[in-house]
Amino acid sequence: MTVPAEASKPLIEAHSFDYVPLSERSGSIFGQFQFWFMINATLITAFTGAVGPLFGLGLSGTIVAIILGSVIGTLFQALHGAQGPRMGLPQMIQSRVQFGSRGAIVPILVATIVPLGFAIFFFQTGAASLSQITVPLDKPYSVAIGILAVLIAIFGYHLVLRLQRIASYVVLINLVLLSIAVLVVLPIGDLLTHSAWSLVGFLAQMGAAAGYQIAIAPIVSDYTRYLPKSTPSARVSAAVFGGTILSAIWIELLGASVALASPKIDVISGIAQVGNQFGFALGSITLGIAVVACLLAATASIYSGTMSFLSALEAFRPLTSGARLRAITIGIAGALIILATITLPGDILGNFSTFLVILGYLLIPWTAVNLADYYLVRRGTYSITDILRSDGGIYGRWGTRGLISYALGILVMIPFVSTGFFVGPIASAMGGADISFLVGVIVAAGSYLIVMRSYDLKAEFASVAKAEISTLHETVS
């Protein structure tokens, strides 16, 4: 039996927002596949599959919309995966190239708030699942799950990856059994035969599935940066793509089936009911596994959210990266998240979840600009030394071209946005369907390619080459 390369590494991670040296790189493509499979393997994902049915879309159309939207969204997400091994940096600090060390503050802060905010709902969902199968003690359970998540995040990447790998086998078996239960218990044949059509529902479901995947983009390199630099980029992106899309589509399809068969009950409760009707206490077992999945998802959220925060703070005040700084930051963030989970009333948290979704829109133009720069403009030719400088080095404090493209992407998205707080005029004319992600990506990436045509890349690449030679000389000395 082959021992994974990660197993030989120490449990406590020594890095935070800084560069991971080549001598500390390890990992496997299969390990990455397992990790990314687990990122979406919470029952919260099932809610995304219930969007189309809310708009009157039947099961056949919902299946197509989920698959199509997931493929589109995951393509953008997976392309970030190759940046990790190549650059050795967490995801959001790389944005300094396009936006400048201080200009990148807006997307970096959004990438801080969104994962830390959603950790609240992972705590809640895990606690609620545990309450359903034991004694109803939501708040104490939330605290317990929160403390465990914080401790695991403090230990860092290597422990997170190991736990995700182990859990992936259990979750896979559970999903197989749940799928059999859905086929046996629910009238899937009738749902497919009498499947209603709704263009609005189709667009809404496709947009929700795509947006759910794009939302993961800001954390991708956080977990691929430990892979050896020689790891083929295509294989890294394939592992990210395959892992996240498999669990997302699978669980969203379960959610869609339950939502259509039992529209009056909560999707997660519906899945548990189907499992218990099938027998062998499958529903209760599923809720138990959901507790672990929520715990691990919350851990990843806290880990990446605090790393983004340190990337933002470091642009104004030089910081010494390391385990101590990361532990303190995670501890403080975790305590605040736990406090919010047990003190904020349900109505406020409901509005807060919508607020987080709105913030998520701000990450769509970011991913477009970042990927356009990496694959089409600079093509991965970056100075790591300058990226890590508080003043931005050759990239400066303010990247005007990137900021303009980012702003244009946000502006054109507004008419297409559809949320509980705001519905844009075009989205309203489309019956509430939201395709803003597609518009934002096209405009932000397109405008960035246009404005970068006048930029002197030759001079910059010469500076990058000098920086690399200087860094190599210092390393050898």
Side-chain angles (χ1 to χ4, degrees):
M1 176 176 166
T2 302
V3 179
E6 297 90 357
S8 63
K9 292 296 179 180
L11 281 179
I12 299 179
E13 182 182 0
H15 299 280
S16 57
F17 61 86
D18 55 321
Y19 174 75
V20 178
L22 299 181
S23 61
E24 298 180 29
R25 305 288 187 90
S26 66
S28 66
I29 291 297
F30 184 61
Q32 285 291 315
F33 176 87
Q34 291 176 297
F35 176 86
W36 293 106
F37 173 79
M38 283 299 299
I39 285 293
N40 281 330
T42 69
L43 291 182
I44 292 178
T45 304
F47 287 111
T48 304
V51 172
L54 286 176
F55 287 86
L57 183 65
L59 184 56
S60 298
T62 300
I63 291 173
V64 176
I66 286 174
I67 294 174
L68 182 59
S70 296
V71 169
I72 294 173
T74 311
L75 280 173
F76 291 99
Q77 172 207 117
L79 287 172
H80 287 290
Q83 295 173 322
R86 178 73 176 270
M87 301 179 69
L89 294 172
Q91 190 66 68
M92 292 310 295
I93 200 170
Q94 299 174 25
S95 304
R96 292 181 176 184
V97 175
Q98 300 88 41
F99 304 105
S101 62
R102 295 188 177 178
I105 291 300
V106 172
I108 289 178
L109 286 181
V110 172
T112 298
I113 296 171
V114 171
L116 293 181
F118 274 110
I120 294 175
F121 299 100
F122 288 128
F123 290 170
Q124 281 190 324
T125 303
S129 298
L130 193 55
S131 290
Q132 288 189 50
I133 55 178
T134 58
V135 180
L137 296 171
D138 283 12
K139 290 186 178 180
Y141 290 154
S142 293
V143 173
I145 293 171
I147 292 174
L148 281 173
V150 168
L151 290 175
I152 295 171
I154 286 175
F155 274 90
Y157 167 83
H158 299 295
L159 180 58
V160 173
L161 191 64
R162 291 184 196 184
L163 294 176
Q164 295 277 31
R165 285 170 62 92
I166 295 169
S168 66
Y169 294 107
V170 180
V171 170
L172 179 62
I173 294 171
N174 181 240
L175 287 178
V176 170
L177 294 175
L178 275 178
S179 300
I180 296 172
V182 165
L183 292 173
V184 171
V185 174
L186 299 182
I188 298 298
D190 291 340
L191 291 175
L192 289 172
T193 302
H194 304 93
S195 188
W197 170 255
S198 166
L199 178 59
V200 171
F202 183 86
L203 294 175
Q205 181 63 74
M206 184 181 71
Y212 193 76
Q213 294 300 88
I214 291 176
I216 300 174
I219 73 170
V220 177
S221 284
D222 297 356
Y223 301 98
T224 63
R225 63 183 175 140
Y226 272 94
L227 289 171
K229 190 173 183 178
S230 59
T231 307
S233 296
R235 295 185 66 193
V236 180
S237 294
V240 176
F241 183 91
T244 55
I245 201 170
L246 176 59
S247 54
I249 290 178
W250 199 337
I251 297 176
E252 285 172 22
L253 290 181
L254 292 176
S257 301
V258 170
L260 286 165
S262 306
K264 295 183 179 180
I265 64 174
D266 175 78
V267 174
I268 294 179
S269 298
I271 290 175
Q273 285 185 21
V274 169
N276 285 331
Q277 288 177 37
F278 178 71
F280 309 103
L282 179 60
S284 298
I285 293 172
T286 297
L287 291 177
I289 294 173
V291 176
V292 177
C294 285
L295 165 64
L296 295 177
T299 299
S301 295
I302 295 171
Y303 177 91
S304 290
T306 53
M307 198 176 307
S308 294
F309 172 75
L310 290 173
S311 298
L313 183 62
E314 204 272 339
F316 295 90
R317 178 182 178 182
L319 300 172
T320 301
S321 177
R324 183 174 180 272
L325 176 65
R326 186 167 51 79
I328 293 173
T329 309
I330 289 173
I332 294 173
L336 293 175
I337 295 169
I338 293 171
L339 183 63
T341 304
I342 63 177
T343 58
L344 294 180
D347 56 341
I348 292 179
L349 283 175
N351 292 332
F352 182 58
S353 67
T354 304
F355 170 68
L356 293 177
V357 171
I358 292 174
L359 283 182
Y361 286 105
L362 302 181
L363 293 173
I364 292 172
W366 162 80
T367 193
V369 170
N370 181 268
L371 290 176
D373 184 79
Y374 184 83
Y375 286 99
L376 301 176
V377 179
R378 291 182 170 92
R379 300 184 181 183
T381 304
Y382 297 142
S383 169
I384 305 302
T385 304
D386 287 280
I387 291 175
L388 292 172
R389 287 178 54 173
S390 296
D391 63 1
I394 60 175
Y395 305 112
R397 288 191 170 92
W398 303 95
T400 306
R401 290 173 172 82
L403 290 170
I404 290 173
S405 303
Y406 178 71
L408 284 175
I410 293 173
L411 287 175
V412 298
M413 287 173 64
I414 293 174
F416 296 88
V417 166
S418 178
T419 70
F421 284 159
F422 172 79
V423 179
I426 298 179
S428 179
M430 296 172 62
D434 189 332
I435 59 169
S436 59
F437 78 94
L438 189 59
V439 178
V441 163
I442 293 173
V443 172
S447 59
Y448 185 73
L449 293 176
I450 292 172
V451 298
M452 286 299 292
R453 292 179 66 180
S454 61
Y455 185 76
D456 188 356
L457 284 173
K458 289 184 178 179
E460 181 183 291
F461 289 165
S463 298
V464 171
K466 290 180 181 178
E468 290 182 347
I469 293 173
S470 175
T471 302
L472 179 61
H473 176 72
E474 291 174 4
T475 303
V476 173
S477 300

